[in-house]
Amino acid sequence: MADQYQDDHSLFPVPARLLDPAQCPKPFVSSLDQYKKMYRQSIDNPEEFFGKLANELLTWSKPFHTVRHGGLEHGDVAWFLEGELNACYNCVDRHALTDPNKVAIIYEADEPNQAERITYGELLRKVCQLAGVLRAHGIRKGDTVAIYMPMIPEAVVALLACARVGALHSVIFAGFSAEALRDRVHDASSRLVLTTDQGKRGGKTIETKRIVDEALKTCPKVETVIVCQRTGAEVPMKDGRDYWWGDEVFKHPFYTPAEDINSEDPMFLLYTSGSTGSPKGVMHTTGGYMLGAAATFKYVFDYHPGDIFACMADVGWITGHTYIVYGPLALGATTVLFESLPTYPTPSRYWELIAEHKITQFYTAPTAIRALRRLGDEWLEGHDLSSLRIIGTVGEPINPEAWHWYNEKVGKGRCAVVDTYWQTETGSHIITPLPGAITTKPGSATFPFFGIDIAILDPVTGKELVGNDVTGVLAVKRPWPSMARTIYNNHYRFMETYLKPYAGYYFTGDGATRDKDGYIWVRGRVDDVINVSGHRLSTAEIESALIMHHSVAETAVVGAPDDVTGQSINAFVCLKPGVPVYSMDLTRELISQVRKVIGPFAAPKKVYLVEDLPKTRSGKLMRRILRKIVAGESDSLGDISTLADPSVVEALINKVNPPP
Ligand code: WTA
């Protein structure tokens, strides 16, 4: 079965340099045997394994006695139950107290050569002042705060200040539209929003404040907006609601204590797309999430003091939460915050960044690698990348061509490549190579992280497919510390989405193969989620954006394979009677409709105006057929006899691939 995929089974052992103490710090896990032994311990005795790790990596203001409680069957997972710890204290105070001059954040601004460094001492002062602002505006433990900010240090300060006072942050990626922002602010009942006047990205201006104003027109619960100045542009300020960040923080002292937080107190919400309905506010709690972030940061990125770590994600996504902010700062690392784009002002930007800051671990998405590879190797020339030790990818399956290019051109064959598989819901990496221990295969995320008990299930029967050389849906058999605990205000939906589809298992929504050597290959989503440049989008959400347009009668959205973005959004649209089908303007309008309702990154690449959609006699849409057509696999559509009108298919094929 696995043979239907053309996997690259070439083996890449750990580069010798990583195991040579004269050249690199000794990896924490430096052999396959050591990995296996530790993995066994984590599965056989999770209480001991994670209890020890939690005390080693985190500082608890009150110790825990119970390591683990509950399970996947009842959806009542809890870790380190009696323990108390503050995430902000763990990320800032404890390092500021011992080494205040250590650089916590290197902020690489949109324009090159304007980097700023923020030490742990400064970070603590900034975070305490903003925590004071939050408290002064009535924010207390358990409240939710919306953050709609570009990639500036204050965004990190914002997350940490929320954690300090025990408020749940709900970061909304600054590429979301006003409507999408409104829905998320509303769903989380946020009373306070943190934003900026504008943002800067790739030389372009993002109108963050204007978008917030638009969103808040219909969010009566929001009482306060704190506006940080990024560009200094003049923006409208609403009396009694809007306050300048700069003015507010000056009112508050440089130190204010961190709130005592129980391990299972909620820490943040992050909205993500599922296969149905509205986006869900995935909720993480404090102790388990922090342990997952810290442990994977230590072992997967093999973090050693002195390393300079750079994750290219946006703080608006889980990757930014865990690997720009919480993982690195928990261990007192120096983390790079990159405001720009890999191609701005030229496609050398990443390589300049690595050379200038002597980055040791670099983490990006396959889509960026593919895009840069296409632009040509000359952009890499003349940049000293010798500081790199570990290079990572995340967000989507990486194709072997991109993997090889990354390994050879960026890693120069002397770095470990870690293809890390995880999700918003998993909180931290769950399947990934450990750089000093695992022989990799290009395109495989290899083996589970500690404590992750993987299962591959038959999608129909739900039976576990044991042994090697099996393909099915990817699930996890037992709880791990950083798994999401619920969906905000909707535990029922949490159960239905993740724990009920296969009773007793956490269902990832991805398909996967365990190959003949036991390596895991993640194949992509098996539900109606599309992954465009590592952005997770639900077909249902895009469809409901389209259907709001007055000309649209019906629509179906599917993902098509795309060389650069992984998948692209293809929309089939049936118009209402009387609306002329051949109109470029209408196509443009529909695309801008999606930009408006969700955000520019969700805009369909192709819109097909069609007469009919393929449906069964009972009226069920057969997306499978649309997926095949856009993938150029019209010759293998399978059984179409159940369609109400099989002739629809012919018309669709001609639409997508017009005959010459
Ligand atoms: C996909 C991002 C293959 C997968 C951290 C998952 C991957 C979804 C990989 C989660 C990988 C992420 N190999 N697929 N290394 N990493 N994915 O929640 O489909 O934005 O379910 O979290 O991205 O996306 P999310």
Side-chain angles (χ1 to χ4, degrees):
M1 175 130 184
D3 286 349
Q4 77 178 89
Y5 299 98
Q6 277 153 13
D7 294 331
D8 181 345
H9 286 280
S10 42
L11 295 172
F12 287 79
V14 177
R17 168 180 163 247
L18 261 72
L19 301 171
D20 174 3
Q23 299 189 59
C24 291
K26 186 174 189 295
F28 292 108
V29 185
S30 55
S31 69
L32 180 64
D33 279 347
Q34 192 190 348
Y35 159 73
K36 283 187 177 160
K37 200 168 142 222
M38 289 176 74
Y39 179 74
R40 257 294 116 228
Q41 286 168 349
S42 73
I43 295 292
D44 291 346
N45 195 344
E47 272 79 11
E48 190 189 324
F49 186 89
F50 286 111
K52 214 170 128 218
L53 206 54
N55 282 317
E56 179 194 316
L57 298 180
L58 301 173
T59 302
W60 299 79
S61 49
K62 190 176 151 209
F64 54 86
H65 305 293
T66 313
V67 172
R68 196 172 67 132
H69 166 78
L72 300 177
E73 191 192 347
H74 298 294
D76 54 352
V77 174
W79 286 83
F80 316 115
L81 277 62
E82 307 78 7
E84 288 183 1
L85 78 168
N86 185 291
C88 179
Y89 180 90
N90 273 273
C91 287
V92 188
D93 301 46
R94 59 178 182 158
H95 314 302
L97 297 175
T98 51
D99 196 359
N101 296 326
K102 165 132 199 208
V103 175
I105 299 170
I106 298 177
Y107 163 48
E108 174 78 13
D110 195 36
E111 296 300 329
N113 307 316
Q114 296 184 354
E116 280 171 33
R117 287 172 175 72
I118 296 165
T119 64
Y120 274 96
E122 287 167 323
L123 186 61
L124 178 60
R125 290 191 285 275
K126 286 177 189 289
V127 168
C128 284
Q129 285 195 309
L130 187 65
V133 175
L134 294 176
R135 283 180 175 140
H137 285 275
I139 297 300
R140 296 286 175 270
K141 184 173 164 183
D143 289 342
T144 66
V145 170
I147 299 177
Y148 188 72
M149 292 179 72
M151 291 282 287
I152 57 174
E154 286 81 357
V156 179
V157 171
L159 268 71
L160 294 166
C162 288
R164 191 166 196 84
V165 305
L168 289 70
H169 53 72
S170 167
V171 183
I172 298 117
F173 170 58
F176 274 114
S177 69
E179 290 185 29
L181 172 61
R182 177 201 61 200
D183 292 347
R184 288 158 178 77
V185 170
H186 181 76
D187 187 82
S189 306
S190 301
R191 286 187 292 116
L192 188 142
V193 180
L194 297 166
T195 190
T196 54
D197 48 2
Q198 295 179 321
K200 276 279 175 204
R201 196 145 195 241
K204 294 208 183 93
T205 302
I206 309 160
E207 298 289 345
T208 35
K209 176 64 165 64
R210 195 185 54 71
I211 295 168
V212 167
D213 285 342
E214 182 65 32
L216 296 192
K217 279 184 187 158
T218 43
C219 286
K221 283 208 184 116
V222 174
E223 295 154 9
T224 312
V225 179
I226 309 282
V227 187
C228 179
Q229 284 186 304
R230 166 60 182 90
T231 63
E234 223 170 279
V235 292
M237 295 290 279
K238 191 170 164 186
D239 230 17
R241 187 196 71 181
D242 300 352
Y243 300 84
W244 290 113
W245 184 299
D247 294 346
E248 289 299 291
V249 293
F250 282 131
K251 298 176 187 163
H252 298 279
F254 288 130
Y255 183 80
T256 180
E259 200 79 23
D260 288 334
I261 307 290
N262 181 272
S263 175
E264 281 300 327
D265 276 333
M267 181 168 156
F268 66 87
L269 304 179
L270 191 54
Y271 282 83
T272 189
S273 299
S275 44
T276 52
S278 51
K280 12 178 213 217
V282 170
M283 193 180 96
H284 283 283
T285 57
T286 309
Y289 172 79
M290 285 302 292
L291 181 61
T296 51
F297 185 69
K298 171 174 172 170
Y299 288 110
V300 178
F301 293 118
D302 198 48
Y303 171 73
H304 289 264
D307 285 349
I308 308 286
F309 179 82
C311 165
M312 296 294 104
D314 192 286
V315 278
W317 308 114
I318 192 71
T319 306
H321 282 54
T322 309
Y323 298 109
I324 295 175
V325 184
Y326 291 111
L329 297 182
L331 295 200
T334 300
T335 185
V336 174
L337 186 71
F338 180 56
E339 190 179 27
S340 196
L341 297 170
T343 47
Y344 185 78
T346 74
S348 290
R349 188 69 189 271
Y350 273 179
W351 324 129
E352 288 164 7
L353 186 77
I354 294 168
E356 183 182 338
H357 302 298
K358 304 216 169 4
I359 289 165
T360 40
Q361 291 95 339
F362 183 76
Y363 193 33
T364 188
T367 185
I369 297 169
R370 287 193 295 264
L372 291 169
R373 174 175 176 261
R374 277 197 159 192
L375 292 170
D377 297 354
E378 61 271 25
W379 295 105
L380 279 143
E381 280 161 23
H383 301 287
D384 177 10
L385 306 183
S386 61
S387 56
L388 290 173
R389 202 167 80 234
I390 293 155
I391 54 177
T393 68
V394 58
E396 42 176 331
I398 181 163
N399 50 312
E401 298 75 23
W403 194 98
H404 285 293
W405 186 83
Y406 196 37
N407 179 45
E408 283 160 30
K409 304 293 174 189
V410 180
K412 317 282 185 206
R414 53 202 284 289
C415 294
V417 181
V418 291
D419 171 0
T420 61
Y421 168 81
W422 60 299
Q423 309 177 297
T424 303
E425 297 86 340
T426 67
S428 56
H429 303 144
I430 63 164
I431 305 178
T432 174
L434 297 186
I438 306 292
T439 293
T440 51
K441 294 186 183 187
S444 166
T446 73
F447 301 114
F449 188 69
F450 304 135
I452 307 294
D453 199 357
I454 289 296
I456 294 186
L457 310 178
D458 181 302
V460 181
T461 64
K463 254 188 70 182
E464 187 171 341
L465 302 171
V466 288
N468 289 346
D469 212 1
V470 291
T471 294
V473 295
L474 182 63
V476 185
K477 257 192 269 190
R478 61 169 86 195
W480 64 101
S482 70
M483 72 177 287
R485 299 292 190 264
T486 192
I487 290 173
Y488 189 65
N489 258 342
N490 204 341
H491 195 63
Y492 175 80
R493 190 167 170 204
F494 179 79
M495 297 297 294
E496 292 297 307
T497 311
Y498 305 109
L499 304 185
K500 286 280 171 66
Y502 301 98
Y505 295 91
Y506 166 84
F507 173 47
T508 61
D510 284 298
T513 300
R514 184 164 45 227
D515 75 10
K516 57 184 180 7
D517 305 316
Y519 282 66
I520 310 281
W521 301 72
V522 179
R523 304 302 187 187
R525 305 290 304 197
V526 294
D527 53 9
D528 292 320
V529 169
I530 311 184
N531 191 327
V532 183
S533 299
H535 293 159
R536 198 168 144 180
L537 292 154
S538 109
T539 54
E541 245 180 297
I542 303 169
E543 286 165 6
S544 68
L546 287 167
I547 206 96
M548 285 180 209
H549 191 278
H550 55 84
S551 307
V552 175
E554 213 183 351
T555 165
V557 169
V558 293
D562 187 287
D563 283 349
V564 173
T565 59
Q567 282 188 301
S568 71
I569 301 167
N570 284 217
F572 291 85
V573 176
C574 297
L575 300 173
K576 286 184 180 155
V579 180
V581 172
Y582 302 99
S583 157
M584 269 314 280
D585 283 352
L586 184 56
T587 308
R588 264 198 294 273
E589 254 182 56
L590 292 171
I591 293 173
S592 75
Q593 168 88 5
V594 179
R595 297 172 71 97
K596 186 167 152 279
V597 177
I598 306 175
F601 64 95
K605 184 169 180 186
K606 298 237 168 75
V607 174
Y608 300 107
L609 302 177
V610 298
E611 304 276 353
D612 246 325
L613 294 171
K615 290 198 188 140
T616 61
R617 272 173 227 116
S618 58
K620 194 171 167 298
L621 179 72
M622 291 187 77
R623 282 170 198 286
R624 175 178 62 84
I625 293 181
L626 295 175
R627 273 197 290 263
K628 287 259 179 196
I629 294 175
V630 296
E633 295 169 7
S634 310
D635 49 350
S636 60
L637 291 180
D639 183 14
I640 58 167
S641 64
T642 54
L643 285 177
D645 177 6
S647 73
V648 169
V649 172
E650 189 70 33
L652 289 170
I653 295 175
N654 289 336
K655 191 84 192 185
V656 174
N657 295 306

